[in-house]
C-alpha cells in the first residue's frame, strides 16, 4: 500500500509559548466544552508523549511534522503532516522535500505560515535491531528534514526519534535530559497531558495499523471464497455494464442491494470494540452480495449516487458498508477498492471524522493513484476545507430525482414504468490532452475476462476498461414513448459533482503521466 501525505488541515490543538527547546517551559492549550485547559510541556519527553494527541492516533513507521507559529507572543501548534518512512534511504530526500513543502505551502494557503517545526521519526526496530540503532540509522533522514525546513526559513526546534518504547532527541545532547541510551516513554494514558486530553474530549484511536485494518482485506480462506465470488459475478456483471442497454439496470440493482444491506447493518445489535464491529458487519454481508456491489460501484455514476448517503441516519450504515466492501477487495481485485475506500473517506469527512477520511482517501489513491474523485476529496480534506459545498451538490442531485436513493438512473421514470433516456453529455468529463492515450482500468482481472470470452466463443482483443457514459448521441436502448420532463443526464450530474469537489479542493490536481480516473 502506497503511503501518502496526510495533514490535519486547519485543526489546532493548542498554544505553546516561546520556542519548544529542551529544558524550556511550554504550554499546550486544549479547549474543552466551556473551559480552557493549559498543560505545561517542559521536556522533550512531554513533546514525545503529546504526539498521539496531535494526530489522534499512534503513528507507526512514520515521519511526522508539527508546525508552530507565533500568536501574541505565544507559539501555537498549527498543521500536522505524516508520511510513511521510505524503505530505501535513497528516497529519503524526496520524502523530506514532499512533506516539508506540502505542509508549509498548505499552511500558507490558509494564511498561517509556520515559523518553527517539531519533527518526529517513529519506527520500531527490525529483528535483531535496537532502538538506538534505529535512531542512528534514521539520523540522515532527520538531517534532511532540518535542511528542507531551513531552506524555507522554518527552523526545526526539536527532532525526536521514537522507537522500542524510548525516544531520542536529535537536537539535544545533554546527558541529563537526553541520554545516549534514550529515555523510556511513559505508559500510554498515564501522563498529565493524557488526563487533560481525555477531560477535553480528545481521543487517541489506537495505532495507524489498527485504523488501516478496518479498510484492508485479509489473506485467509475467506479471501479465496470472496475472490471466487468476484470472478463469478464479473462474468455477467461486466458484460451488462459494458452493454449500455443493461447498464442502468445494473446501477439500480447495485443501489437497491446497497440499501438493503445498509438496513441490515442498521438493525444489527451493537457490539463492543472495533474488531468486533467489523466482524459483525462482515458476517452480515454475503460473498455474492459484496461481489455485486464492488463491481457495480466501478461505474462512476452509480458511485456518485451512492455518495449521497452521507448524513443523517444513512451515514453510519453507509460508512460501515463501504468499510466492509473495501475489506472484500481481495487479491487481484485490490484496485477495485478505490471506489469503496473513496466513499468511506467521503462519508467519514462529511460526518466530521477527518482522521478516518484522510486515511481512507490516501488508501484509495494507493489502490488507484489516478482516481480523480479520491484525489480531489483528499486534497480538500487535507486543506481543512468545509465539505458542505460537496454535500449541497449531492443534495441537489438527489432532490432532482425526488429524494429517493433508488429511482431511474440518468433518466426520468414514466407513469408506465418506462424510462426516457436523454443524450449523454461528455463535456464535463476530464479531457485527455492531445497525443496522450487514455488510460483505462480493468473492471475484472484478465483471467476472468478470458474465461468470459471463451464462454462466448471468442478471445478478447484487449482490456476491458471501466464502463463510461458514451461520449455523445442517444444511449443505446433508445428513448421510450411517454411523457417526460427534461433533467440532467448521468454524465452532467457526475461532472457537476466533480466540479463541486474540484472547487472545494481549489482545483489543484495534475494529470501528468496519464488521465486521472474519476
Amino acid at each position: 500500500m502506497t503511503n501518502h501525505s496526510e495533514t490535519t488541515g486547519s485543526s489546532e490543538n493548542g498554544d505553546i509559548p516561546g520556542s519548544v527547546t529542551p529544558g524550556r517551559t511550554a504550554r499546550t492549550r486544549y479547549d474543552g466544552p466551556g473551559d480552557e485547559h493549559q498543560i505545561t510541556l517542559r521536556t522533550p519527553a512531554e513533546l514525545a508523549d503529546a504526539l498521539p494527541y496531535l494526530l489522534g492516533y499512534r503513528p507507526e513507521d512514520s515521519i511526522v511534522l508539527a508546525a508552530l507559529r507565533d500568536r501574541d507572543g505565544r507559539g501555537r501548534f498549527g498543521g500536522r503532516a505524516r508520511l510513511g518512512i521510505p524503505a530505501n534511504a535513497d528516497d529519503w530526500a524526496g520524502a523530506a522535500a514532499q512533506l516539508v513543502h506540502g505542509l508549509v505551502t498548505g499552511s500558507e494557503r490558509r494564511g498561517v505560515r509556520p515559523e518553527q517545526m517539531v519533527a518526529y521519526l517513529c519506527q520500531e526496530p527490525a529483528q535483531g535491531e535496537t532502538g538506538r540503532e534505529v535512531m542512528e540509522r534514521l539520523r540522515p533522514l532527520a538531517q534532511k528534514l532540518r535542511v528542507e525546513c531551513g531552506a524555507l526559513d522554518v527552523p526545526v526546534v526539536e527532532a525526536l526519534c521514537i522507537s522500542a518504547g524510548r525516544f531520542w532527541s536529535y537536537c539535544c545532547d545533554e546527558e541529563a535530559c537526553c541520554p545516549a541510551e534514550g529515555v523510556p516513554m511513559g505508559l500510554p494514558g498515564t501522563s498529565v497531558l493524557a488526563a487533560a486530553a481525555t477531560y477535553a474530549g480528545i481521543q487517541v484511536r489506537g495505532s495507524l495499523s489498527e485504523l488501516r485494518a478496518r479498510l484492508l482485506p485479509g489473506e485467509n480462506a475467506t479471501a479465496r471464497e470472496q475472490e471466487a465470488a468476484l470472478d463469478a459475478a464479473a462474468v455477467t456483471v461486466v458484460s451488462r455494464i459494458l452493454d449500455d442497454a443493461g447498464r442502468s439496470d445494473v446501477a439500480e440493482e447495485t443501489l437497491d442491494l446497497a440499501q438493503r444491506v445498509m438496513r441490515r447493518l442498521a438493525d444489527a445489535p451493537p457490539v463492543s470494540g472495533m474488531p468486533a464491529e467489523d466482524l459483525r458487519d462482515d458476517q452480515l454481508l454475503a460473498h455474492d452480495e459484496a461481489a455485486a456491489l464492488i463491481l457495480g460501484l466501478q461505474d462512476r455514476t452509480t458511485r456518485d449516487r451512492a455518495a449521497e448517503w452521507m448524513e443523517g441516519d444513512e451515514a453510519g450504515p453507509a460508512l460501515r458498508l463501504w468499510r466492509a466492501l473495501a475489506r472484500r477487495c481481495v487479491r487481484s481485485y485490490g484496485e477495485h477498492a478505490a471506489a469503496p475506500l473513496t466513499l468511506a473517506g467521503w462519508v467519514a469527512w462529511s460526518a466530521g471524522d477527518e482522521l478516518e477520511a484522510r486515511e481512507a482517501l490516501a488508501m484509495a489513491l494507493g489502490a488507484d493513484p489516478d482516481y480523480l474523485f479520491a484525489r480531489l476529496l483528499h486534497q480538500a480534506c487535507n486543506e481543512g476545507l468545509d465539505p458542505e459545498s460537496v454535500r449541497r451538490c449531492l443534495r441537489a442531485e438527489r432532490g432532482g430525482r425526488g429524494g429517493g436513493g433508488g429511482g431511474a438512473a440518468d433518466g426520468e421514470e414514466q407513469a408506465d414504468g418506462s424510462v426516457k433516456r436523454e443524450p449523454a453529455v461528455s463535456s464535463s468529463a476530464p479531457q485527455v490532452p492531445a497525443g496522450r492515450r487514455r488510460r483505462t482500468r480493468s473492471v475484472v482481472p484478465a483471467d476472468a475476462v478470458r474465461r468470459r470470452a471463451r464462454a462466448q466463443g471468442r478471445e478478447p482483443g484487449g482490456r476491458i476498461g471501466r464502463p463510461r457514459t458514451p461520449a455523445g448521441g442517444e444511449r443505446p436502448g433508445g428513448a421510450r414513448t411517454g411523457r417526460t420532463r427534461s433533467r440532467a443526464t448521468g454524465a452532467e450530474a457526475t461532472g457537476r459533482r466533480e466540479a463541486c469537489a474540484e472547487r472545494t479542493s481549489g482545483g489543484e490536481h495534475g494529470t501528468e503521466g496519464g488521465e486521472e480516473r474519476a
Side-chain angles (χ1 to χ4, degrees):
M1 185 63 65
T2 303
N3 285 316
H4 292 267
S5 176
E6 303 160 4
T7 66
T8 62
S10 59
S11 65
E12 294 165 343
N13 280 14
D15 292 342
I16 297 183
S19 299
V20 181
T21 54
R24 295 229 183 147
T25 298
R27 293 176 183 167
T28 301
R29 187 189 69 196
Y30 288 90
D31 294 327
D35 291 312
E36 181 180 286
H37 306 280
Q38 290 190 348
I39 302 300
T40 301
L41 304 180
R42 295 184 176 88
T43 65
E46 290 171 335
L47 274 177
D49 182 66
L51 178 58
Y53 302 98
L54 293 176
L55 297 177
Y57 61 90
R58 296 190 301 275
E60 300 167 315
D61 197 29
S62 299
I63 313 167
V64 179
L65 290 178
L68 303 172
R69 60 187 178 88
D70 181 76
R71 187 170 128 182
D72 299 328
R74 306 171 66 186
R76 184 178 181 87
F77 272 125
R80 277 80 74 194
R82 191 208 71 87
L83 189 69
I85 297 177
N88 190 336
D90 292 340
D91 297 327
W92 288 357
Q98 174 187 350
L99 193 63
V100 172
H101 286 257
L103 179 55
V104 172
T105 56
S107 298
E108 287 176 336
R109 282 195 293 270
R110 297 191 300 273
V112 285
R113 190 180 195 278
E115 297 174 354
Q116 297 174 326
M117 288 282 189
V118 176
Y120 299 86
L121 299 178
C122 307
Q123 190 173 75
E124 290 304 299
Q127 187 173 3
E129 191 178 29
T130 67
R132 178 177 171 79
E133 288 171 339
V134 172
M135 181 272 293
E136 293 294 351
R137 176 168 53 80
L138 296 180
R139 187 182 291 275
L141 176 55
Q143 182 61 24
K144 293 180 188 300
L145 289 169
R146 297 175 74 177
V147 170
E148 290 291 339
C149 288
L152 295 179
D153 198 25
V154 183
V156 174
V157 295
E158 184 59 274
L160 300 174
C161 177
I162 300 174
S163 181
R166 292 176 173 265
F167 79 88
W168 289 262
S169 172
Y170 292 112
C171 298
C172 176
D173 56 4
E174 295 182 13
E175 187 68 20
C177 64
C178 299
E181 65 273 16
V183 179
M185 298 282 293
L187 292 176
T190 61
S191 66
V192 175
L193 175 60
T198 301
Y199 182 77
I202 299 172
Q203 297 180 349
V204 176
R205 296 167 52 188
S207 66
L208 186 59
S209 60
E210 290 170 341
L211 292 175
R212 286 177 172 167
R214 310 199 76 182
L215 302 167
L216 286 174
E219 283 296 333
N220 48 36
T222 302
R224 291 193 292 271
E225 295 171 2
Q226 183 62 69
E227 187 176 37
L230 283 160
D231 285 343
V235 172
T236 56
V237 172
V238 173
S239 60
R240 292 178 66 201
I241 292 178
L242 294 178
D243 177 15
D244 290 319
R247 183 180 180 187
S248 62
D249 293 334
V250 174
E252 292 306 311
E253 292 167 9
T254 300
L255 295 167
D256 289 343
L257 175 58
Q259 288 183 310
R260 292 199 302 273
V261 175
M262 285 166 55
R263 287 193 292 269
R264 191 185 309 161
L265 295 175
D267 293 338
V271 295
S272 178
M274 291 191 304
E277 290 174 356
D278 294 340
L279 178 60
R280 173 203 58 197
D281 293 347
D282 288 338
Q283 292 172 343
L284 293 172
L285 180 63
H287 293 311
D288 58 340
E289 291 176 326
L293 290 170
I294 289 168
L295 294 170
L297 289 173
Q298 302 309 303
D299 173 49
R300 70 176 185 175
T301 304
T302 306
R303 175 210 67 195
D304 288 347
R305 290 179 62 186
E308 295 168 3
W309 304 321
M310 63 196 169
E311 55 192 347
D313 293 338
E314 293 175 327
L319 179 56
R320 289 164 59 188
L321 175 58
W322 308 144
R323 287 189 195 124
L325 291 180
R327 294 193 295 269
R328 299 297 186 94
C329 294
V330 297
R331 299 186 173 185
S332 56
Y333 290 87
E335 192 180 33
H336 289 63
L341 285 170
T342 301
L343 289 170
W346 159 238
V347 176
W349 185 33
S350 178
D353 188 348
E354 294 185 6
L355 174 57
E356 181 169 359
R358 288 192 302 274
E359 189 58 36
L361 293 169
M363 292 173 67
L365 292 172
D368 184 350
D370 296 323
Y371 206 70
L372 178 58
F373 193 34
R375 184 177 298 280
L376 294 174
L377 292 175
H378 189 237
Q379 180 182 342
C381 182
N382 281 347
E383 290 295 322
L385 302 180
D386 189 349
E388 179 58 24
S389 60
V390 182
R391 284 196 293 257
R392 281 196 296 266
C393 286
L394 293 173
R395 292 189 198 108
E397 292 300 329
R398 191 172 190 175
R401 290 192 304 274
D410 308 333
E412 192 66 33
E413 189 171 353
Q414 308 302 304
D416 61 358
S418 64
V419 176
K420 174 69 168 75
R421 305 292 175 191
E422 296 190 357
V425 179
S426 63
S427 60
S428 61
Q431 301 299 313
V432 181
R436 180 177 294 170
R437 187 173 64 180
R438 177 183 294 272
R439 298 174 62 193
T440 58
R441 176 160 68 87
S442 177
V443 174
V444 61
D447 58 344
V449 174
R450 288 193 292 271
R451 287 196 297 272
R452 187 193 69 175
R454 284 196 295 269
Q456 295 175 346
R458 60 182 176 83
E459 189 71 13
R463 300 181 71 199
I464 292 183
R466 176 203 298 272
R468 291 186 183 272
T469 303
E474 199 79 19
R475 277 185 187 268
R480 302 181 184 178
T481 59
R483 188 176 58 189
T484 183
R485 61 183 176 86
S486 176
R487 69 178 299 273
T489 66
E492 289 172 319
T494 297
R496 283 198 297 271
R497 285 186 282 268
E498 290 174 359
C500 284
E502 186 169 353
R503 286 196 301 271
T504 300
S505 66
E508 298 176 4
H509 61 281
T511 57
E512 188 61 27
E515 181 203 25
E516 289 183 329
R517 292 187 286 273

